[in-house]
mmCIF file of all heavy atoms in Angstrom:
data_model
loop_
_atom_site.group_PDB
_atom_site.id
_atom_site.type_symbol
_atom_site.label_atom_id
_atom_site.label_comp_id
_atom_site.label_asym_id
_atom_site.label_seq_id
_atom_site.Cartn_x
_atom_site.Cartn_y
_atom_site.Cartn_z
ATOM 1 N N GLU A 1 -172.628 -14.328 16.288
ATOM 2 C CA GLU A 1 -173.329 -13.003 16.269
ATOM 3 C C GLU A 1 -172.347 -11.895 16.653
ATOM 4 O O GLU A 1 -172.412 -10.787 16.160
ATOM 5 C CB GLU A 1 -174.524 -12.981 17.136
ATOM 6 C CG GLU A 1 -175.361 -11.724 17.054
ATOM 7 C CD GLU A 1 -176.624 -11.773 17.884
ATOM 8 O OE1 GLU A 1 -176.747 -12.772 18.691
ATOM 9 O OE2 GLU A 1 -177.439 -10.853 17.850
ATOM 10 N N PHE A 2 -171.382 -12.205 17.552
ATOM 11 C CA PHE A 2 -170.470 -11.222 18.094
ATOM 12 C C PHE A 2 -169.218 -11.089 17.227
ATOM 13 O O PHE A 2 -168.404 -10.237 17.464
ATOM 14 C CB PHE A 2 -170.092 -11.574 19.522
ATOM 15 C CG PHE A 2 -169.662 -10.431 20.359
ATOM 16 C CD1 PHE A 2 -170.574 -9.427 20.655
ATOM 17 C CD2 PHE A 2 -168.458 -10.369 20.883
ATOM 18 C CE1 PHE A 2 -170.218 -8.335 21.413
ATOM 19 C CE2 PHE A 2 -168.068 -9.299 21.651
ATOM 20 C CZ PHE A 2 -168.995 -8.291 21.947
ATOM 21 N N ALA A 3 -169.088 -11.916 16.254
ATOM 22 C CA ALA A 3 -167.828 -11.910 15.431
ATOM 23 C C ALA A 3 -167.765 -10.741 14.460
ATOM 24 O O ALA A 3 -166.661 -10.296 14.136
ATOM 25 C CB ALA A 3 -167.767 -13.210 14.656
ATOM 26 N N SER A 4 -168.866 -10.250 14.085
ATOM 27 C CA SER A 4 -168.895 -9.136 13.089
ATOM 28 C C SER A 4 -169.201 -7.828 13.815
ATOM 29 O O SER A 4 -169.843 -7.794 14.859
ATOM 30 C CB SER A 4 -169.923 -9.358 11.982
ATOM 31 O OG SER A 4 -171.203 -9.345 12.515
ATOM 32 N N LYS A 5 -168.812 -6.715 13.106
ATOM 33 C CA LYS A 5 -169.054 -5.368 13.704
ATOM 34 C C LYS A 5 -170.528 -5.124 13.769
ATOM 35 O O LYS A 5 -171.086 -4.554 14.709
ATOM 36 C CB LYS A 5 -168.331 -4.317 12.817
ATOM 37 C CG LYS A 5 -168.557 -2.924 13.349
ATOM 38 C CD LYS A 5 -167.759 -1.898 12.505
ATOM 39 C CE LYS A 5 -167.974 -0.484 13.006
ATOM 40 N NZ LYS A 5 -167.191 0.488 12.229
ATOM 41 N N ASP A 6 -171.244 -5.537 12.720
ATOM 42 C CA ASP A 6 -172.676 -5.326 12.628
ATOM 43 C C ASP A 6 -173.396 -6.086 13.765
ATOM 44 O O ASP A 6 -174.343 -5.586 14.412
ATOM 45 C CB ASP A 6 -173.287 -5.745 11.302
ATOM 46 C CG ASP A 6 -172.815 -4.851 10.154
ATOM 47 O OD1 ASP A 6 -172.460 -3.674 10.482
ATOM 48 O OD2 ASP A 6 -172.878 -5.300 8.961
ATOM 49 N N GLY A 7 -172.849 -7.289 14.011
ATOM 50 C CA GLY A 7 -173.495 -8.085 15.117
ATOM 51 C C GLY A 7 -173.267 -7.446 16.478
ATOM 52 O O GLY A 7 -174.167 -7.350 17.313
ATOM 53 N N ARG A 8 -172.024 -6.909 16.707
ATOM 54 C CA ARG A 8 -171.745 -6.265 17.989
ATOM 55 C C ARG A 8 -172.570 -5.011 18.125
ATOM 56 O O ARG A 8 -173.133 -4.735 19.212
ATOM 57 C CB ARG A 8 -170.262 -5.967 18.073
ATOM 58 C CG ARG A 8 -169.358 -7.169 18.159
ATOM 59 C CD ARG A 8 -167.950 -6.762 18.557
ATOM 60 N NE ARG A 8 -167.290 -5.939 17.549
ATOM 61 C CZ ARG A 8 -166.634 -6.451 16.491
ATOM 62 N NH1 ARG A 8 -166.533 -7.759 16.357
ATOM 63 N NH2 ARG A 8 -166.072 -5.668 15.604
ATOM 64 N N THR A 9 -172.749 -4.258 17.063
ATOM 65 C CA THR A 9 -173.522 -3.070 17.100
ATOM 66 C C THR A 9 -174.982 -3.393 17.397
ATOM 67 O O THR A 9 -175.693 -2.706 18.160
ATOM 68 C CB THR A 9 -173.467 -2.327 15.761
ATOM 69 O OG1 THR A 9 -172.078 -1.973 15.510
ATOM 70 C CG2 THR A 9 -174.275 -1.028 15.804
ATOM 71 N N LYS A 10 -175.481 -4.429 16.854
ATOM 72 C CA LYS A 10 -176.865 -4.880 17.113
ATOM 73 C C LYS A 10 -177.100 -5.207 18.492
ATOM 74 O O LYS A 10 -178.126 -4.841 19.095
ATOM 75 C CB LYS A 10 -177.167 -6.074 16.177
ATOM 76 C CG LYS A 10 -178.614 -6.592 16.283
ATOM 77 C CD LYS A 10 -178.864 -7.745 15.347
ATOM 78 C CE LYS A 10 -180.274 -8.247 15.459
ATOM 79 N NZ LYS A 10 -180.563 -9.379 14.552
ATOM 80 N N LEU A 11 -176.133 -5.970 19.155
ATOM 81 C CA LEU A 11 -176.271 -6.316 20.538
ATOM 82 C C LEU A 11 -176.248 -5.058 21.431
ATOM 83 O O LEU A 11 -177.005 -4.939 22.430
ATOM 84 C CB LEU A 11 -175.138 -7.294 20.950
ATOM 85 C CG LEU A 11 -175.295 -8.669 20.420
ATOM 86 C CD1 LEU A 11 -174.041 -9.477 20.790
ATOM 87 C CD2 LEU A 11 -176.567 -9.339 21.020
ATOM 88 N N LEU A 12 -175.352 -4.146 21.120
ATOM 89 C CA LEU A 12 -175.272 -2.898 21.897
ATOM 90 C C LEU A 12 -176.536 -2.073 21.799
ATOM 91 O O LEU A 12 -177.024 -1.563 22.805
ATOM 92 C CB LEU A 12 -174.027 -2.046 21.455
ATOM 93 C CG LEU A 12 -172.636 -2.630 21.799
ATOM 94 C CD1 LEU A 12 -171.615 -1.803 21.089
ATOM 95 C CD2 LEU A 12 -172.432 -2.701 23.303
ATOM 96 N N ASN A 13 -177.063 -1.988 20.607
ATOM 97 C CA ASN A 13 -178.281 -1.263 20.420
ATOM 98 C C ASN A 13 -179.455 -1.924 21.151
ATOM 99 O O ASN A 13 -180.386 -1.261 21.691
ATOM 100 C CB ASN A 13 -178.588 -1.113 18.967
ATOM 101 C CG ASN A 13 -177.672 -0.190 18.244
ATOM 102 O OD1 ASN A 13 -176.980 0.650 18.852
ATOM 103 N ND2 ASN A 13 -177.504 -0.365 16.898
ATOM 104 N N LYS A 14 -179.468 -3.259 21.162
ATOM 105 C CA LYS A 14 -180.578 -4.000 21.759
ATOM 106 C C LYS A 14 -180.580 -3.935 23.273
ATOM 107 O O LYS A 14 -181.638 -3.823 23.924
ATOM 108 C CB LYS A 14 -180.485 -5.460 21.272
ATOM 109 C CG LYS A 14 -181.631 -6.337 21.817
ATOM 110 C CD LYS A 14 -181.539 -7.704 21.245
ATOM 111 C CE LYS A 14 -182.656 -8.631 21.766
ATOM 112 N NZ LYS A 14 -182.558 -10.011 21.211
ATOM 113 N N TYR A 15 -179.395 -4.061 23.895
ATOM 114 C CA TYR A 15 -179.342 -4.244 25.344
ATOM 115 C C TYR A 15 -178.775 -3.034 26.168
ATOM 116 O O TYR A 15 -179.133 -2.828 27.314
ATOM 117 C CB TYR A 15 -178.528 -5.494 25.737
ATOM 118 C CG TYR A 15 -179.109 -6.770 25.292
ATOM 119 C CD1 TYR A 15 -178.585 -7.480 24.274
ATOM 120 C CD2 TYR A 15 -180.306 -7.260 25.885
ATOM 121 C CE1 TYR A 15 -179.150 -8.677 23.805
ATOM 122 C CE2 TYR A 15 -180.796 -8.497 25.488
ATOM 123 C CZ TYR A 15 -180.252 -9.153 24.474
ATOM 124 O OH TYR A 15 -180.803 -10.379 24.061
ATOM 125 N N ILE A 16 -177.890 -2.270 25.479
ATOM 126 C CA ILE A 16 -177.075 -1.320 26.297
ATOM 127 C C ILE A 16 -177.379 0.136 25.900
ATOM 128 O O ILE A 16 -177.399 0.995 26.802
ATOM 129 C CB ILE A 16 -175.597 -1.646 26.127
ATOM 130 C CG1 ILE A 16 -175.302 -3.027 26.710
ATOM 131 C CG2 ILE A 16 -174.725 -0.580 26.816
ATOM 132 C CD1 ILE A 16 -173.889 -3.470 26.549
ATOM 133 N N GLU A 17 -177.529 0.415 24.667
ATOM 134 C CA GLU A 17 -177.607 1.808 24.224
ATOM 135 C C GLU A 17 -178.829 2.514 24.854
ATOM 136 O O GLU A 17 -179.960 1.959 24.952
ATOM 137 C CB GLU A 17 -177.708 1.905 22.699
ATOM 138 C CG GLU A 17 -177.677 3.343 22.199
ATOM 139 C CD GLU A 17 -177.742 3.407 20.735
ATOM 140 O OE1 GLU A 17 -178.837 3.177 20.133
ATOM 141 O OE2 GLU A 17 -176.709 3.670 20.074
ATOM 142 N N SER A 18 -178.612 3.724 25.314
ATOM 143 C CA SER A 18 -179.689 4.545 25.946
ATOM 144 C C SER A 18 -179.528 5.963 25.532
ATOM 145 O O SER A 18 -178.437 6.455 25.415
ATOM 146 C CB SER A 18 -179.592 4.400 27.506
ATOM 147 O OG SER A 18 -180.498 5.277 28.083
ATOM 148 N N ASN A 19 -180.642 6.576 25.359
ATOM 149 C CA ASN A 19 -180.605 8.040 24.943
ATOM 150 C C ASN A 19 -180.794 8.950 26.131
ATOM 151 O O ASN A 19 -180.670 10.189 25.990
ATOM 152 C CB ASN A 19 -181.716 8.308 23.950
ATOM 153 C CG ASN A 19 -181.475 7.602 22.612
ATOM 154 O OD1 ASN A 19 -180.323 7.459 22.187
ATOM 155 N ND2 ASN A 19 -182.570 7.161 21.992
ATOM 156 N N GLU A 20 -181.136 8.440 27.309
ATOM 157 C CA GLU A 20 -181.365 9.256 28.479
ATOM 158 C C GLU A 20 -180.172 9.123 29.446
ATOM 159 O O GLU A 20 -179.724 8.027 29.771
ATOM 160 C CB GLU A 20 -182.640 8.809 29.208
ATOM 161 C CG GLU A 20 -183.901 8.973 28.341
ATOM 162 C CD GLU A 20 -184.179 10.394 28.022
ATOM 163 O OE1 GLU A 20 -183.810 11.262 28.838
ATOM 164 O OE2 GLU A 20 -184.817 10.687 26.964
ATOM 165 N N ALA A 21 -179.612 10.268 29.885
ATOM 166 C CA ALA A 21 -178.526 10.277 30.840
ATOM 167 C C ALA A 21 -178.909 9.668 32.132
ATOM 168 O O ALA A 21 -180.008 10.013 32.674
ATOM 169 C CB ALA A 21 -178.012 11.713 31.048
ATOM 170 N N GLY A 22 -178.208 8.712 32.661
ATOM 171 C CA GLY A 22 -178.481 8.112 33.923
ATOM 172 C C GLY A 22 -179.448 6.990 33.850
ATOM 173 O O GLY A 22 -179.742 6.326 34.878
ATOM 174 N N GLU A 23 -180.026 6.660 32.698
ATOM 175 C CA GLU A 23 -180.985 5.549 32.544
ATOM 176 C C GLU A 23 -180.229 4.246 32.743
ATOM 177 O O GLU A 23 -179.191 4.036 32.036
ATOM 178 C CB GLU A 23 -181.656 5.627 31.223
ATOM 179 C CG GLU A 23 -182.739 4.571 30.993
ATOM 180 C CD GLU A 23 -183.392 4.723 29.652
ATOM 181 O OE1 GLU A 23 -183.303 5.805 29.078
ATOM 182 O OE2 GLU A 23 -184.004 3.740 29.195
ATOM 183 N N PRO A 24 -180.723 3.323 33.489
ATOM 184 C CA PRO A 24 -180.007 2.036 33.768
ATOM 185 C C PRO A 24 -180.086 1.164 32.535
ATOM 186 O O PRO A 24 -181.009 1.273 31.698
ATOM 187 C CB PRO A 24 -180.785 1.414 34.921
ATOM 188 C CG PRO A 24 -182.196 2.024 34.843
ATOM 189 C CD PRO A 24 -181.971 3.422 34.348
ATOM 190 N N TRP A 25 -179.111 0.244 32.412
ATOM 191 C CA TRP A 25 -179.103 -0.718 31.306
ATOM 192 C C TRP A 25 -179.902 -1.918 31.722
ATOM 193 O O TRP A 25 -179.780 -2.450 32.828
ATOM 194 C CB TRP A 25 -177.689 -1.195 31.030
ATOM 195 C CG TRP A 25 -176.780 -0.087 30.425
ATOM 196 C CD1 TRP A 25 -177.233 1.130 29.892
ATOM 197 C CD2 TRP A 25 -175.404 -0.146 30.190
ATOM 198 N NE1 TRP A 25 -176.187 1.854 29.419
ATOM 199 C CE2 TRP A 25 -175.033 1.062 29.584
ATOM 200 C CE3 TRP A 25 -174.402 -1.088 30.528
ATOM 201 C CZ2 TRP A 25 -173.715 1.366 29.241
ATOM 202 C CZ3 TRP A 25 -173.121 -0.802 30.192
ATOM 203 C CH2 TRP A 25 -172.745 0.448 29.545
ATOM 204 N N MET A 26 -180.664 -2.460 30.770
ATOM 205 C CA MET A 26 -181.428 -3.709 31.016
ATOM 206 C C MET A 26 -180.807 -4.802 30.160
ATOM 207 O O MET A 26 -180.903 -4.764 28.937
ATOM 208 C CB MET A 26 -182.920 -3.511 30.598
ATOM 209 C CG MET A 26 -183.585 -2.278 31.315
ATOM 210 S SD MET A 26 -183.651 -2.454 33.113
ATOM 211 C CE MET A 26 -184.818 -3.806 33.210
ATOM 212 N N ILE A 27 -180.036 -5.743 30.836
ATOM 213 C CA ILE A 27 -179.409 -6.802 30.091
ATOM 214 C C ILE A 27 -179.756 -8.121 30.755
ATOM 215 O O ILE A 27 -180.059 -8.230 31.940
ATOM 216 C CB ILE A 27 -177.860 -6.592 30.129
ATOM 217 C CG1 ILE A 27 -177.375 -6.579 31.532
ATOM 218 C CG2 ILE A 27 -177.517 -5.295 29.404
ATOM 219 C CD1 ILE A 27 -175.826 -6.484 31.624
ATOM 220 N N PRO A 28 -179.670 -9.233 29.965
ATOM 221 C CA PRO A 28 -179.918 -10.545 30.553
ATOM 222 C C PRO A 28 -178.940 -10.900 31.626
ATOM 223 O O PRO A 28 -177.758 -10.654 31.503
ATOM 224 C CB PRO A 28 -179.773 -11.483 29.353
ATOM 225 C CG PRO A 28 -179.952 -10.621 28.152
ATOM 226 C CD PRO A 28 -179.440 -9.303 28.515
ATOM 227 N N ALA A 29 -179.418 -11.458 32.747
ATOM 228 C CA ALA A 29 -178.557 -11.716 33.865
ATOM 229 C C ALA A 29 -177.478 -12.753 33.571
ATOM 230 O O ALA A 29 -176.340 -12.739 34.062
ATOM 231 C CB ALA A 29 -179.391 -12.243 35.054
ATOM 232 N N GLU A 30 -177.848 -13.803 32.728
ATOM 233 C CA GLU A 30 -176.923 -14.854 32.381
ATOM 234 C C GLU A 30 -176.068 -14.577 31.195
ATOM 235 O O GLU A 30 -175.023 -15.235 30.958
ATOM 236 C CB GLU A 30 -177.662 -16.139 32.185
ATOM 237 C CG GLU A 30 -178.591 -16.584 33.340
ATOM 238 C CD GLU A 30 -177.707 -16.857 34.600
ATOM 239 O OE1 GLU A 30 -176.544 -17.322 34.433
ATOM 240 O OE2 GLU A 30 -178.242 -16.643 35.705
ATOM 241 N N GLY A 31 -176.390 -13.585 30.368
ATOM 242 C CA GLY A 31 -175.737 -13.437 29.059
ATOM 243 C C GLY A 31 -174.564 -12.485 29.078
ATOM 244 O O GLY A 31 -173.674 -12.586 28.261
ATOM 245 N N PHE A 32 -174.596 -11.511 30.020
ATOM 246 C CA PHE A 32 -173.592 -10.452 29.990
ATOM 247 C C PHE A 32 -172.931 -10.310 31.356
ATOM 248 O O PHE A 32 -173.502 -10.539 32.366
ATOM 249 C CB PHE A 32 -174.184 -9.137 29.566
ATOM 250 C CG PHE A 32 -174.743 -9.079 28.164
ATOM 251 C CD1 PHE A 32 -176.032 -9.476 27.903
ATOM 252 C CD2 PHE A 32 -173.951 -8.642 27.119
ATOM 253 C CE1 PHE A 32 -176.560 -9.484 26.615
ATOM 254 C CE2 PHE A 32 -174.469 -8.647 25.857
ATOM 255 C CZ PHE A 32 -175.740 -9.068 25.577
ATOM 256 N N ASP A 33 -171.668 -9.862 31.309
ATOM 257 C CA ASP A 33 -170.937 -9.481 32.500
ATOM 258 C C ASP A 33 -170.261 -8.119 32.193
ATOM 259 O O ASP A 33 -169.318 -8.081 31.373
ATOM 260 C CB ASP A 33 -169.927 -10.533 32.884
ATOM 261 C CG ASP A 33 -169.176 -10.143 34.196
ATOM 262 O OD1 ASP A 33 -169.646 -9.269 34.888
ATOM 263 O OD2 ASP A 33 -168.178 -10.804 34.501
ATOM 264 N N VAL A 34 -170.697 -7.063 32.823
ATOM 265 C CA VAL A 34 -170.192 -5.729 32.567
ATOM 266 C C VAL A 34 -169.116 -5.404 33.604
ATOM 267 O O VAL A 34 -169.331 -5.425 34.809
ATOM 268 C CB VAL A 34 -171.284 -4.698 32.563
ATOM 269 C CG1 VAL A 34 -170.747 -3.266 32.296
ATOM 270 C CG2 VAL A 34 -172.378 -5.038 31.559
ATOM 271 N N VAL A 35 -167.956 -5.019 33.075
ATOM 272 C CA VAL A 35 -166.795 -4.646 33.927
ATOM 273 C C VAL A 35 -166.449 -3.172 33.637
ATOM 274 O O VAL A 35 -166.230 -2.795 32.493
ATOM 275 C CB VAL A 35 -165.577 -5.550 33.711
ATOM 276 C CG1 VAL A 35 -164.439 -5.114 34.600
ATOM 277 C CG2 VAL A 35 -165.958 -7.010 33.918
ATOM 278 N N THR A 36 -166.393 -2.348 34.682
ATOM 279 C CA THR A 36 -166.045 -0.911 34.504
ATOM 280 C C THR A 36 -164.536 -0.826 34.395
ATOM 281 O O THR A 36 -163.805 -1.400 35.201
ATOM 282 C CB THR A 36 -166.540 -0.115 35.687
ATOM 283 O OG1 THR A 36 -167.960 -0.251 35.815
ATOM 284 C CG2 THR A 36 -166.226 1.392 35.502
ATOM 285 N N VAL A 37 -164.083 -0.028 33.456
ATOM 286 C CA VAL A 37 -162.678 0.191 33.240
ATOM 287 C C VAL A 37 -162.299 1.525 33.985
ATOM 288 O O VAL A 37 -162.952 2.560 33.753
ATOM 289 C CB VAL A 37 -162.349 0.332 31.736
ATOM 290 C CG1 VAL A 37 -160.824 0.655 31.557
ATOM 291 C CG2 VAL A 37 -162.731 -0.918 30.998
ATOM 292 N N LYS A 38 -161.288 1.437 34.840
ATOM 293 C CA LYS A 38 -160.834 2.632 35.529
ATOM 294 C C LYS A 38 -160.215 3.620 34.564
ATOM 295 O O LYS A 38 -159.362 3.257 33.754
ATOM 296 C CB LYS A 38 -159.730 2.249 36.560
ATOM 297 C CG LYS A 38 -159.191 3.398 37.315
ATOM 298 C CD LYS A 38 -158.085 2.996 38.285
ATOM 299 C CE LYS A 38 -157.486 4.200 38.976
ATOM 300 N NZ LYS A 38 -156.373 3.800 39.853
ATOM 301 N N PRO A 39 -160.692 4.851 34.518
ATOM 302 C CA PRO A 39 -160.214 5.810 33.586
ATOM 303 C C PRO A 39 -158.716 6.060 33.775
ATOM 304 O O PRO A 39 -158.203 6.177 34.874
ATOM 305 C CB PRO A 39 -161.020 7.080 33.903
ATOM 306 C CG PRO A 39 -162.208 6.610 34.682
ATOM 307 C CD PRO A 39 -161.764 5.379 35.356
ATOM 308 N N LEU A 40 -157.968 6.049 32.663
ATOM 309 C CA LEU A 40 -156.580 6.394 32.708
ATOM 310 C C LEU A 40 -156.363 7.872 32.744
ATOM 311 O O LEU A 40 -157.209 8.660 32.248
ATOM 312 C CB LEU A 40 -155.825 5.764 31.505
ATOM 313 C CG LEU A 40 -155.786 4.247 31.385
ATOM 314 C CD1 LEU A 40 -155.192 3.824 30.062
ATOM 315 C CD2 LEU A 40 -154.954 3.660 32.553
ATOM 316 N N SER A 41 -155.273 8.306 33.339
ATOM 317 C CA SER A 41 -154.916 9.700 33.307
ATOM 318 C C SER A 41 -153.580 9.862 32.595
ATOM 319 O O SER A 41 -152.865 8.882 32.281
ATOM 320 C CB SER A 41 -154.719 10.161 34.763
ATOM 321 O OG SER A 41 -153.600 9.564 35.389
ATOM 322 N N LEU A 42 -153.242 11.104 32.272
ATOM 323 C CA LEU A 42 -151.948 11.356 31.653
ATOM 324 C C LEU A 42 -150.814 10.899 32.530
ATOM 325 O O LEU A 42 -149.711 10.565 32.015
ATOM 326 C CB LEU A 42 -151.839 12.817 31.257
ATOM 327 C CG LEU A 42 -152.805 13.352 30.188
ATOM 328 C CD1 LEU A 42 -152.602 14.832 30.003
ATOM 329 C CD2 LEU A 42 -152.584 12.599 28.900
ATOM 330 N N THR A 43 -151.026 10.944 33.860
ATOM 331 C CA THR A 43 -149.975 10.447 34.720
ATOM 332 C C THR A 43 -149.732 8.983 34.534
ATOM 333 O O THR A 43 -148.620 8.520 34.573
ATOM 334 C CB THR A 43 -150.388 10.736 36.182
ATOM 335 O OG1 THR A 43 -150.565 12.175 36.362
ATOM 336 C CG2 THR A 43 -149.320 10.285 37.182
ATOM 337 N N ASP A 44 -150.824 8.221 34.348
ATOM 338 C CA ASP A 44 -150.696 6.765 34.123
ATOM 339 C C ASP A 44 -149.875 6.502 32.871
ATOM 340 O O ASP A 44 -149.153 5.516 32.823
ATOM 341 C CB ASP A 44 -152.074 6.132 33.969
ATOM 342 C CG ASP A 44 -152.890 6.219 35.288
ATOM 343 O OD1 ASP A 44 -152.256 6.197 36.369
ATOM 344 O OD2 ASP A 44 -154.110 6.370 35.228
ATOM 345 N N LEU A 45 -150.045 7.353 31.879
ATOM 346 C CA LEU A 45 -149.322 7.180 30.624
ATOM 347 C C LEU A 45 -147.915 7.740 30.658
ATOM 348 O O LEU A 45 -147.172 7.615 29.714
ATOM 349 C CB LEU A 45 -150.063 7.818 29.476
ATOM 350 C CG LEU A 45 -151.493 7.269 29.192
ATOM 351 C CD1 LEU A 45 -152.158 8.089 28.101
ATOM 352 C CD2 LEU A 45 -151.397 5.776 28.832
ATOM 353 N N ALA A 46 -147.564 8.396 31.769
ATOM 354 C CA ALA A 46 -146.275 9.015 31.938
ATOM 355 C C ALA A 46 -145.966 10.094 30.900
ATOM 356 O O ALA A 46 -144.859 10.370 30.558
ATOM 357 C CB ALA A 46 -145.114 7.978 31.968
ATOM 358 N N ILE A 47 -147.017 10.666 30.340
ATOM 359 C CA ILE A 47 -146.868 11.656 29.299
ATOM 360 C C ILE A 47 -146.311 12.979 29.867
ATOM 361 O O ILE A 47 -145.369 13.576 29.316
ATOM 362 C CB ILE A 47 -148.248 11.986 28.596
ATOM 363 C CG1 ILE A 47 -148.687 10.723 27.821
ATOM 364 C CG2 ILE A 47 -148.109 13.122 27.664
ATOM 365 C CD1 ILE A 47 -147.853 10.363 26.599
#
């Protein structure tokens, strides 16, 4: 299901997508592991 773009979009729409700012995500406890990515800065890129 996750191999195709349509499949990934379907999963995101089903479990993660939200139209309200600040609304929590409701995902299965055993199925997903969400890791926050630290935002990069221009300093990190040495630009």
Side-chain angles (χ1 to χ4, degrees):
E1 186 176 7
F2 206 62
S4 66
K5 181 178 180 180
D6 291 339
R8 293 192 295 272
T9 301
K10 182 178 179 181
L11 287 174
L12 290 173
N13 291 337
K14 181 177 180 181
Y15 294 109
I16 297 176
E17 187 179 72
S18 173
N19 292 325
E20 299 294 333
E23 182 179 341
W25 290 350
M26 306 297 293
I27 60 176
E30 303 297 331
F32 295 88
D33 183 12
V34 180
V35 179
T36 302
V37 178
K38 179 183 177 182
L40 292 174
S41 67
L42 293 177
T43 301
D44 296 326
L45 299 177
I47 294 293

